Amino acid sequence: MLVRGASVYSDADGYYVLTSSSTSPVRLQVYSGYYVSGWWNGSEITQDCSQASDSIPSTGQTIINMSIEKADSISGSVKDATGVPHLWKSLHTIMTPADG
């Protein structure tokens, strides 16, 4: 079972708490701006959701410590056909490997 819409933010020390009233298995997806996003597979972050492991919330507390890596970046500018800079509130891009 994938729990959608449950979001948490870490504090200044990186700690987070995700509460659930269910003990059904869940899969954790991590997204953090300038860091590589992915799915928790029980020991590390993986890009493949099918490799994600089920985590089962327990009575009390289940502790999952994750390490995430800085993402690579590409920067530049966006201009219209006449060369005027285009101001967007956000620009979404997808980077895929050149070989596939």
Side-chain angles (χ1 to χ4, degrees):
M1 178 175 113
L2 175 62
V3 176
R4 297 186 186 276
S7 297
V8 296
Y9 296 93
S10 59
D11 66 13
D13 295 318
Y15 292 102
Y16 70 96
V17 176
L18 177 63
T19 57
S20 173
S21 59
S22 172
T23 55
S24 298
V26 296
R27 291 188 176 179
L28 301 176
Q29 183 181 24
V30 177
Y31 175 80
S32 183
Y34 297 106
Y35 291 84
V36 176
S37 62
W39 296 87
W40 179 246
N41 74 0
S43 61
E44 63 184 3
I45 302 297
T46 178
Q47 300 302 302
D48 187 348
C49 148
S50 69
Q51 294 178 0
S53 65
D54 291 344
S55 299
I56 302 174
S58 63
T59 302
Q61 189 172 26
T62 301
I63 298 174
I64 298 176
N65 295 318
M66 296 175 263
S67 294
I68 55 178
E69 298 177 20
K70 278 273 201 188
D72 295 330
S73 65
I74 296 174
S75 61
S77 62
V78 178
K79 297 180 180 180
D80 68 16
T82 64
V84 175
H86 197 303
L87 178 62
W88 287 333
K89 291 191 181 218
S90 66
L91 176 64
H92 298 276
T93 59
I94 299 173
M95 290 192 284
T96 57
D99 61 359

